[in-house]
Amino acid sequence: MKSKDLLLKDVLLIESALLYDLNKEIKMQINEVPNAKVGIVAGSKSDQETVDKITAVLDAFGIVWEFNILSAHRTPNATAKYAREAAGRGLQVLIGVAGLAAALPGVLAGHTILPVIGLPCAGGPLNGVDALHSIVQMPPGIPVATVGIGNGKNAGYLAAHIVAIADPAVREKLVAYRKGLGDIEG
């Protein structure tokens, strides 16, 4: 029978190997799309259904986007690097999709001056309420705009509004969309 110290060393070695593999996998997934205006970052592959709601809206407005899976907890350096480099690559807004502790949008906001939209995902014992509370309670000076739990469509629409500030073609499509809702008189 192994001593406690040896068992702890075995656990730490296994944990280090798993984290190395996870970091290696996530690094290979970094996806930089030329001319992208919106960077979508999800904490997990399980958030794909929510991400699909965002991308459907962005596609409808002709907005180029990129999608990456990064973790505020498992790959904090890669996440910070992505956020720091986003503006320099031409991105205009980031969307952080996260559940449970939902630190991802805040970590993104802490490493960029780009607007960050936080999208809390439903899941866990509190069905996304914990993620919502985590995202909306950012410290002064590091804001994260937050949409409703699982509301990928509104994250996409908010991103479109932000992109429309500097892109007349997106602005025109957005005005036409809003006219269609009866919001703007024609």
Side-chain angles (χ1 to χ4, degrees):
M1 185 165 177
K2 290 186 174 184
S3 73
K4 278 186 175 180
D5 288 340
L6 285 177
L7 286 174
L8 180 59
K9 285 180 184 177
D10 288 345
V11 168
L12 291 174
L13 283 173
I14 292 168
E15 188 176 74
S16 293
L18 289 172
L19 287 174
Y20 172 79
D21 287 342
L22 181 62
N23 282 328
K24 188 170 127 184
E25 175 187 338
I26 289 175
K27 283 179 185 174
M28 288 191 287
Q29 291 179 12
I30 296 294
N31 184 29
E32 295 180 2
V33 175
N35 303 314
K37 300 298 178 201
V38 179
I40 304 165
V41 182
S44 169
K45 289 179 184 178
S46 65
D47 300 328
Q48 186 65 53
E49 187 177 324
T50 304
V51 170
D52 290 344
K53 294 174 186 176
I54 300 167
T55 59
V57 171
L58 297 176
D59 288 345
F61 287 101
I63 299 170
V64 180
W65 52 269
E66 64 184 34
F67 170 60
N68 287 285
I69 298 172
L70 295 168
S71 170
H73 301 107
R74 292 182 296 263
T75 59
N77 293 325
T79 302
K81 183 177 188 282
Y82 178 84
R84 281 192 308 270
E85 295 175 354
R89 293 190 304 102
L91 293 174
Q92 296 175 356
V93 59
L94 300 178
I95 302 174
V97 181
L100 301 172
L104 181 60
V107 169
L108 293 170
H111 291 281
T112 186
I113 60 165
L114 290 175
V116 175
I117 301 167
L119 173 52
C121 289
L126 298 178
N127 203 28
V129 173
D130 48 352
L132 174 64
H133 287 178
S134 177
I135 296 170
V136 299
Q137 294 298 331
M138 290 299 298
I142 309 294
V144 172
T146 309
V147 297
I149 298 168
N151 198 337
K153 285 184 176 184
N154 267 359
Y157 287 121
L158 182 53
H161 281 77
I162 293 167
V163 171
I165 293 168
D167 187 326
V170 173
R171 182 172 175 21
E172 187 176 306
K173 290 176 186 176
L174 191 56
V175 168
Y177 167 75
R178 295 287 291 266
K179 281 182 182 179
L181 294 175
D183 186 53
I184 299 174
E185 293 184 11

